[in-house]
Amino acid sequence: MSEEWLLTDDGSPVAQALVLSHPEQLARLRTACPRAVPTAVLAGDPCFDRMLAALPHRDRFRRALGVRDGQRLLILNSTWNPESLFGDGGAEDLLPSLLPRLTGELAADEYRLAAVLHPNIWHGHGPGQIRAWLHRARRGGLTLLDPLEGWRQALIAADAVIGDHGSVTYYAAALGTPVLLGAAPLAGLDPRSPVADFVRTAPRLDPHAPLPHQIESLIAGHRPLPGPAELTTSAPGKSAALLRELFYGLIGIPEPVEPATLDPLPLPPYEPPLHTAPLRVLTRPLEGGGIAVRRFAEPAYEPAGDEAQTGGGAAHLAVHEDRAEHDAVAPADVIYRYGAADDPRLGPPDRWGAEVLARWPNCALAAYITAPGACTVRTRAGAVLRIAGPPSGPDPAACASALYAALAGGAALDDLVAHGLSVHTGGTAHRVTVTAPG
């Protein structure tokens, strides 16, 4: 709001109309650039209005991102600034150490991870470089979202956001979403602005403390900060009408008779996570039947609460077939892949399973995931089984690991076929069927 941005060389306002979303901005404008005040127009925030209108579709957006029952969607967000979460590669940058911890400490079936990076990050470095930098995190299940069209829907769907001082993080707080600030610079922010107040008061990420505890505590104790919700717009849901009135007034022609509307947020394409990193799978038999499953992508150390050490639990390695390194696939107990059941390149799922078991002698079970809730597995003993559950239920690859653990623990195959299997992920019990195709 400084004069250098709002006034021409002769001191007159650059714009005929300076659109503001809240009266607090007008108050700051009076101090920063009094000559521009006559051009100010309070017209709300169309971006935020689109999000408010789309709130009823939250569950759809979550399904589009592949968020399953019992999972939390965690959004990582960075603006474009040397002091942002993405940073400039300096020694103080948090992101290089945070990314492998996100995918290594947060269980894959308990957290869905996605990142929203400012468009200028993509344009400044190039898409290839961004994907290369984030390659390991992407193998662990992190999805890079469309920075232009997909981020609003992701914020609506999110359970928590790790961000910085950028507008996307502020919008998340305005929606009432729990936010942890991974970067919180105050330099360059108007100290009287709502964003500066938000940066001073929002919870901070502790880079040295375990991530699961911080995120769980954030969500459990969340109390929305009043500032973002109150100060993002003074005219919620009315920006379309206010802006159209302004624009047609500037043009000097009458407004159309039909109501002014904004384009609704589109339903994003289905984009489930893809875990191609080796998964450390911890399983534990439960009293009354069922198997608890926790999967971690390339953890740097044994995950806390190791089921293999308590309650008769065990651990095994599950690896995506497309994992390039031979040394990563060879020791896998479970090998899986995702694809269409009629993909001619792979053959029928049971034949694919036979080929995998023949190629990898250490593998005890091969799982071909053919739908969001179904997979075909083949055991080392030669049994061909189909596991099926609701599309919003657990990842079929997690169900395959549960089946492997049940069989390794002595469960009778006939009992599993007759009664199914209870798979517990993220604190949620899921009943899946086990059938032997004729």
Side-chain angles (χ1 to χ4, degrees):
M1 293 190 179
S2 63
E3 292 185 351
E4 64 179 310
W5 289 100
L6 300 181
L7 303 180
T8 63
D9 291 340
D10 63 7
S12 59
V14 170
Q16 288 180 271
L18 179 61
V19 177
L20 306 177
S21 64
H22 195 280
E24 72 82 19
Q25 297 168 4
L26 182 58
R28 287 189 288 124
L29 181 65
R30 288 194 179 100
T31 301
C33 188
R35 295 183 188 180
V37 169
T39 69
V41 179
L42 290 171
D45 186 328
C47 178
F48 193 56
D49 280 355
R50 292 180 76 196
M51 287 189 277
L52 293 176
L55 288 176
H57 302 310
R58 182 173 189 268
D59 287 343
R60 294 183 184 179
F61 298 155
R62 288 174 67 83
R63 289 193 291 268
L65 287 168
V67 180
R68 297 179 177 274
D69 294 342
Q71 256 188 333
R72 288 169 170 162
L73 173 60
L74 178 62
I75 299 295
L76 189 72
N77 167 63
S78 178
T79 189
W80 187 55
N81 185 287
E83 296 180 308
S84 68
L85 187 64
F86 203 85
D88 61 358
E92 301 300 319
D93 277 2
L94 175 65
L95 198 65
S97 62
L98 179 62
L99 284 171
R101 292 183 58 202
L102 282 172
T103 55
E105 293 183 27
L106 301 178
D109 301 298
E110 297 170 21
Y111 288 92
R112 169 74 171 103
L113 305 175
V116 176
L117 304 180
H118 193 285
N120 284 349
I121 295 177
W122 289 93
H123 293 305
H125 300 291
Q129 181 63 75
I130 296 299
R131 293 189 175 93
W133 279 334
L134 303 183
H135 176 63
R136 180 178 177 181
R138 291 169 57 224
R139 290 191 313 176
L142 177 77
T143 296
L144 297 176
L145 298 177
D146 186 329
L148 298 180
E149 297 299 331
W151 64 270
R152 300 172 186 85
Q153 298 90 322
L155 287 190
I156 292 171
D159 293 291
V161 171
I162 296 177
D164 53 26
H165 60 298
S167 59
V168 172
T169 305
Y170 193 81
Y171 275 134
L175 290 171
T177 304
V179 170
L180 275 180
L181 294 183
L186 286 168
L189 296 178
D190 183 341
R192 301 164 300 164
S193 69
V195 174
D197 182 65
F198 167 68
V199 169
R200 285 190 292 263
T201 57
R204 303 291 180 89
L205 179 72
D206 183 348
H208 306 294
L211 293 176
H213 176 71
Q214 291 190 71
I215 296 170
E216 291 165 9
S217 298
L218 172 75
I219 295 173
H222 177 57
R223 299 292 183 273
L225 296 173
E230 295 174 3
L231 300 176
T232 295
T233 177
S234 60
K238 299 178 180 179
S239 64
L242 292 171
L243 288 170
R244 192 177 73 174
E245 179 184 6
L246 169 64
F247 297 153
Y248 275 80
L250 291 172
I251 297 172
I253 60 177
E255 288 187 68
V257 295
E258 63 269 11
T261 60
L262 298 169
D263 288 340
L265 293 181
L267 184 64
Y270 180 56
E271 196 169 9
L274 179 61
H275 298 96
T276 57
L279 295 170
R280 175 71 167 170
V281 185
L282 311 181
T283 61
R284 178 168 50 89
L286 300 172
E287 186 176 345
I291 301 290
V293 178
R294 302 189 77 204
R295 302 184 300 160
F296 297 86
E298 290 185 310
Y301 46 83
E302 193 66 26
D306 183 0
E307 280 81 350
Q309 305 300 322
T310 61
H316 65 265
L317 181 67
V319 178
H320 192 286
E321 187 195 21
D322 284 347
R323 174 76 184 197
E325 298 91 336
H326 180 281
D327 292 344
V329 183
D333 304 284
V334 174
I335 296 175
Y336 63 93
R337 77 168 302 118
Y338 298 83
D342 59 353
D343 189 332
R345 299 169 299 174
L346 301 170
D350 59 331
R351 184 188 301 171
W352 170 86
E355 293 174 353
V356 167
L357 293 169
R359 182 180 181 189
W360 305 106
N362 189 69
C363 178
L365 185 146
Y368 190 117
I369 293 94
T370 54
C375 68
T376 298
V377 303
R378 190 178 186 105
T379 70
R380 176 63 63 182
V384 177
L385 304 166
R386 178 173 174 80
I387 304 174
S392 61
D395 182 351
C399 295
S401 280
L403 179 65
Y404 166 77
L407 293 173
L413 188 57
D414 289 344
D415 287 343
L416 293 171
V417 171
H419 304 294
L421 180 63
S422 181
V423 181
H424 293 242
T425 61
T428 302
H430 315 269
R431 174 63 62 173
V432 298
T433 62
V434 181
T435 57

